[in-house]
Amino acid sequence: MALASVELTERTGSELRVDKAALLSGEFVQDIRSLLVQRGVLIVRDIHFTDEEQRAFARSLGDLRLGTVKQEGDEGLLKVTFDEKVNPEYAKFFFGSQLWHMDGTYEEVPPFATILTPRVLSETGGQTEFANNYAAYEDLPEAERTQLDRLKVIHTMQAALFPGKPDCTVEEFALWHSYPNREHPLVWQHRSGRKSLVLSTSASHITGMHPAESRYLLQRLMVHAAQPRYVYRHNWRMGDLLIWDNTGTMHRVLPFPPESGRQLHRFTLNGEEGVTAVG
Ligand code: OGA
Ligand code: MN
């Protein structure tokens, strides 16, 4: 049977029409993986996965990332929340997720994909937005693409987090600063042959470029890539399942009251290829 799906916007996001049993059967793994990298984000309504089901589904799609959370029995499970009682480590950095970002830009091989389900929702706000960085690249004029193809960008934790907390303490800034930096090509030539912009709030500066020029270029590209025509906004409902391709999209969470207790359960799939420059 073919995998049924409908497009949510022209360039980004598809909704799968499939039930829980079919998702867990493994029958659609290849279809889901290939649609995921075409559409950037996939959603399924009314699935109501348990943690075990979500983990098994994640495992069927790729290489499950372990060890992100220390809690016993929570193999690979990350609780995404502002609530320090639930996940003190994550709560410390989660405010940074309100700016457009890719996860794991500090790693040589950034995570491939992430699988989310909601457990507590906020009555207002808290939508998650996804921007398609393949489409944003493909729409640039050819002469500009050729120039961008040669550039490299330094990603840092302080670049990512300072804009979200400009009144941080010196100690907070020093902590962010203590994390390793990572240089990646600005344009990722994926194994699939497609190219995408590697943009994120973590993008600090372009290697070897004058700081003013570098700043304006990164800001201009971010404004370009975050235009509504590349963005899908997900309005969460209990029972949802959402998967995003972290290699070719950016994401951000829209503001919501922290006291809502909003909580998503997340499993992450390890990357399968490093960020490779255009050859
Ligand atoms: C994340 C993230 C956004 C959200 O889990 O990496 O950015 O909507 N989450 O919670
Ligand atoms: Mn994130």
Side-chain angles (χ1 to χ4, degrees):
M1 223 180 56
L3 177 65
S5 66
V6 290
E7 300 191 345
L8 296 166
T9 72
E10 196 187 327
R11 315 289 288 271
T12 312
S14 286
E15 178 175 347
L16 307 183
R17 296 285 161 78
V18 61
D19 65 15
K20 188 194 274 199
L23 283 173
L24 290 173
S25 73
E27 183 185 347
F28 293 118
V29 164
Q30 287 318 320
D31 293 339
I32 290 173
R33 284 181 53 111
S34 69
L35 195 62
L36 177 63
V37 297
Q38 282 168 44
R39 304 290 305 161
V41 49
L42 303 179
I43 69 156
V44 202
R45 298 287 192 183
D46 303 316
I47 290 299
H48 297 279
F49 267 162
T50 64
D51 290 342
E52 290 67 34
E53 288 166 340
Q54 192 180 341
R55 181 185 291 108
F57 174 69
R59 277 214 159 101
S60 75
L61 286 185
D63 179 26
L64 184 67
R65 176 167 295 210
L66 300 172
T68 33
V69 157
K70 283 118 209 134
Q71 285 143 295
E72 282 294 307
D74 278 355
E75 200 182 2
L77 170 64
L78 186 64
K79 293 177 179 167
V80 174
T81 176
F82 267 130
D83 189 340
E84 287 177 24
K85 290 192 293 298
V86 174
N87 191 346
E89 268 310 298
Y90 210 77
K92 249 196 286 181
F93 299 109
F94 186 51
F95 68 90
S97 299
Q98 298 176 95
L99 292 133
W100 283 113
H101 67 284
M102 291 167 63
D103 291 341
T105 48
Y106 317 107
E107 300 171 35
E108 188 179 351
V109 181
F112 162 48
T114 299
I115 295 115
L116 287 178
T117 61
R119 297 311 161 107
V120 180
L121 289 175
S122 173
E123 273 174 32
T124 56
Q127 303 92 336
T128 312
E129 289 191 330
F130 299 87
N132 186 328
N133 282 351
Y134 293 108
Y137 175 80
E138 285 157 7
D139 283 358
L140 292 169
E142 193 187 346
E144 184 172 2
R145 279 186 270 133
T146 308
Q147 281 181 341
L148 299 181
D149 285 351
R150 287 180 288 110
L151 301 179
K152 294 198 184 307
V153 180
I154 306 286
H155 293 262
T156 76
M157 186 83 105
Q158 65 270 27
L161 297 185
F162 184 69
K165 211 174 198 178
D167 58 349
C168 69
T169 64
V170 170
E171 290 74 22
E172 280 172 315
F173 195 85
L175 172 68
W176 306 338
H177 197 277
S178 71
Y179 284 80
N181 299 341
R182 177 72 62 182
E183 185 182 68
H184 287 303
L186 175 58
V187 179
W188 186 338
Q189 167 96 65
H190 297 254
R191 251 193 244 145
S192 64
R194 260 180 118 187
K195 296 179 198 166
S196 67
L197 291 168
V198 181
L199 281 181
S200 174
T201 178
S202 66
S204 168
H205 58 279
I206 294 174
T207 306
M209 190 178 275
H210 186 279
E213 200 191 331
S214 155
R215 182 132 195 95
Y216 295 137
L217 177 56
L218 288 173
Q219 282 178 346
R220 187 168 60 75
L221 288 175
M222 186 56 100
V223 168
H224 165 70
Q227 290 177 90
R229 66 169 175 271
Y230 304 123
V231 174
Y232 166 66
R233 174 182 296 181
H234 187 64
N235 290 303
W236 289 99
R237 294 202 317 233
M238 292 307 282
D240 286 351
L241 167 69
L242 183 149
I243 314 158
W244 84 76
D245 166 14
N246 185 61
T247 72
T249 59
M250 300 184 288
H251 60 282
R252 67 171 177 178
V253 58
L254 297 187
F256 63 91
E259 61 278 8
S260 65
R262 179 187 186 271
Q263 187 185 144
L264 306 177
H265 281 195
R266 161 181 170 150
F267 290 90
T268 309
L269 300 181
N270 285 318
E272 300 176 357
E273 56 177 311
V275 183
T276 307
V278 176

